Amino acid sequence: MEYLEGLLQKEKDNFGRVCNRLLGTCFLCKGNQNTRPDYYFVLKYRKEFKEYLGVLGYRLEINEEYGVVQLTSPRGINRMNLKLYDSIVLLILRILYDEKKRQLSAVEEVIVTLGDIQDRFLSLNIRDKIIDKTTMRNALSLFRRYQIVELLDRDLGDEESRVLIYDSILMAVRVEDIKAAFEKLETYRKGKNISNEETDEDEAD
């Protein structure tokens, strides 16, 4: 591969590792201490990453303002279907992120509690009960895998347990996605009763 010829062997090995990480997580966040070196590595070799990943059918998006690298699939390759409650939790995380960010300085991390998420869920008036512990755990674990959140406390049954929301939420759920999600939720409100066994799914990159 010509675009890797100028790299040292150590850099080539790192290049392959970071590519695999991106393919598995979709996001790299400067705000995540574990992936910050990989974020800067991508910035350093952005041309090489874009060319290589482009051959595989992916598009590399870099937003230095947010400090986020995102891998997307214009051809719809490896698109993931989100269950209904996963989609709702993701939307709530995006709303809470916006609200908290307006109250914080630019450098402060956005941290919410499970109670914040449940309160916002109830305010959507979709159903009268909060999201059950298993559904919440599955949703947050999924988003943690994709570097959208980090779980700061282990007890997901405690409403004071904290969730750190990374800036990647801004690219995972864009403004136009919020509008579409609210329109879809309105149709669910009309049906009113949604069980946790709901199998309806939304597509996401």
Side-chain angles (χ1 to χ4, degrees), residues 12-26:
K12 289 181 181 179
D13 293 342
N14 206 25
F15 185 92
R17 181 187 61 77
V18 174
C19 279
N20 282 318
R21 168 167 266 178
L22 267 172
L23 289 168
T25 66
C26 297

Side-chain angles (χ1 to χ4, degrees), residues 17 45 49 91 118 133 150 152 164 166 191 201 204:
R17 181 187 61 77
Y45 296 106
F49 275 102
L91 173 63
Q118 296 286 18
K133 182 177 178 180
E150 185 59 60
L152 301 180
L164 186 156
Y166 290 122
E201 298 176 335

Side-chain angles (χ1 to χ4, degrees), residues 63-90:
N63 191 312
E64 294 187 62
E65 179 184 356
Y66 299 158
V68 177
V69 171
Q70 180 183 20
L71 194 65
T72 61
S73 175
R75 303 175 190 173
I77 302 171
N78 291 335
R79 288 180 66 85
M80 180 181 66
N81 290 323
L82 291 179
K83 294 181 179 180
L84 174 60
Y85 274 87
D86 293 341
S87 298
I88 293 173
V89 171
L90 185 60

Side-chain angles (χ1 to χ4, degrees), residues 92-93 96 112-121 136 140:
I92 290 172
L93 290 170
L96 291 174
V112 300
T113 66
L114 292 184
D116 293 331
I117 298 173
Q118 296 286 18
D119 288 344
R120 184 48 56 98
F121 174 73
M136 181 69 77
L140 293 177

Side-chain angles (χ1 to χ4, degrees), residues 20 37 42 46 57 79 94 109 132 135 149 155 204:
N20 282 318
V42 171
R46 68 179 72 198
R79 288 180 66 85
R94 177 64 159 87
E109 296 177 325
D132 70 89
T135 300
V149 303
D155 185 2

Side-chain angles (χ1 to χ4, degrees), residues 7-202:
L7 275 65
L8 299 175
Q9 186 58 50
K10 181 179 180 180
E11 293 173 319
K12 289 181 181 179
D13 293 342
N14 206 25
F15 185 92
R17 181 187 61 77
V18 174
C19 279
N20 282 318
R21 168 167 266 178
L22 267 172
L23 289 168
T25 66
C26 297
F27 293 101
L28 292 175
C29 302
K30 183 173 69 173
N32 184 337
Q33 293 185 358
N34 294 324
T35 61
R36 186 176 298 163
D38 292 344
Y39 167 82
Y40 282 113
F41 186 78
V42 171
L43 261 58
K44 182 178 180 180
Y45 296 106
R46 68 179 72 198
K47 180 176 180 293
E48 290 81 0
F49 275 102
K50 286 184 176 181
E51 289 182 3
Y52 178 75
L53 292 167
V55 171
L56 298 180
Y58 293 94
R59 179 173 60 226
L60 189 72
E61 297 185 23
I62 300 174
N63 191 312
E64 294 187 62
E65 179 184 356
Y66 299 158
V68 177
V69 171
Q70 180 183 20
L71 194 65
T72 61
S73 175
R75 303 175 190 173
I77 302 171
N78 291 335
R79 288 180 66 85
M80 180 181 66
N81 290 323
L82 291 179
K83 294 181 179 180
L84 174 60
Y85 274 87
D86 293 341
S87 298
I88 293 173
V89 171
L90 185 60
L91 173 63
I92 290 172
L93 290 170
R94 177 64 159 87
I95 295 169
L96 291 174
Y97 175 94
D98 287 346
E99 292 177 352
K100 296 287 185 179
K101 200 66 175 177
R102 286 194 291 268
Q103 304 168 12
L104 302 171
S105 69
V107 297
E108 289 183 275
E109 296 177 325
V110 176
I111 297 175
V112 300
T113 66
L114 292 184
D116 293 331
I117 298 173
Q118 296 286 18
D119 288 344
R120 184 48 56 98
F121 174 73
L122 291 175
S123 74
L124 292 175
N125 197 30
I126 297 172
R127 63 194 297 261
D128 298 329
K129 297 180 180 179
I130 63 174
I131 302 172
D132 70 89
K133 182 177 178 180
T134 299
T135 300
M136 181 69 77
R137 180 192 297 111
N138 290 342
L140 293 177
S141 296
L142 175 66
F143 302 140
R144 181 179 184 274
R145 171 188 168 190
Y146 286 98
Q147 294 205 25
I148 296 173
V149 303
E150 185 59 60
L151 306 180
L152 301 180
D153 299 298
R154 301 184 66 178
D155 185 2
L156 296 184
D158 184 352
E159 65 176 16
E160 295 301 320
S161 291
R162 299 162 300 156
V163 179
L164 186 156
I165 309 176
Y166 290 122
D167 294 334
S168 52
I169 191 75
L170 295 168
M171 299 176 74
V173 185
R174 308 189 189 225
V175 173
E176 57 270 24
D177 298 326
I178 296 175
K179 181 180 179 181
F182 269 114
E183 290 174 350
K184 190 166 186 178
L185 282 176
E186 187 59 33
T187 66
Y188 291 128
R189 281 198 196 95
K190 292 175 181 178
K192 191 63 178 177
N193 294 319
I194 303 178
S195 70
N196 282 334
E197 291 74 36
E198 174 66 58
T199 56
D200 193 9
E201 298 176 335
D202 293 326

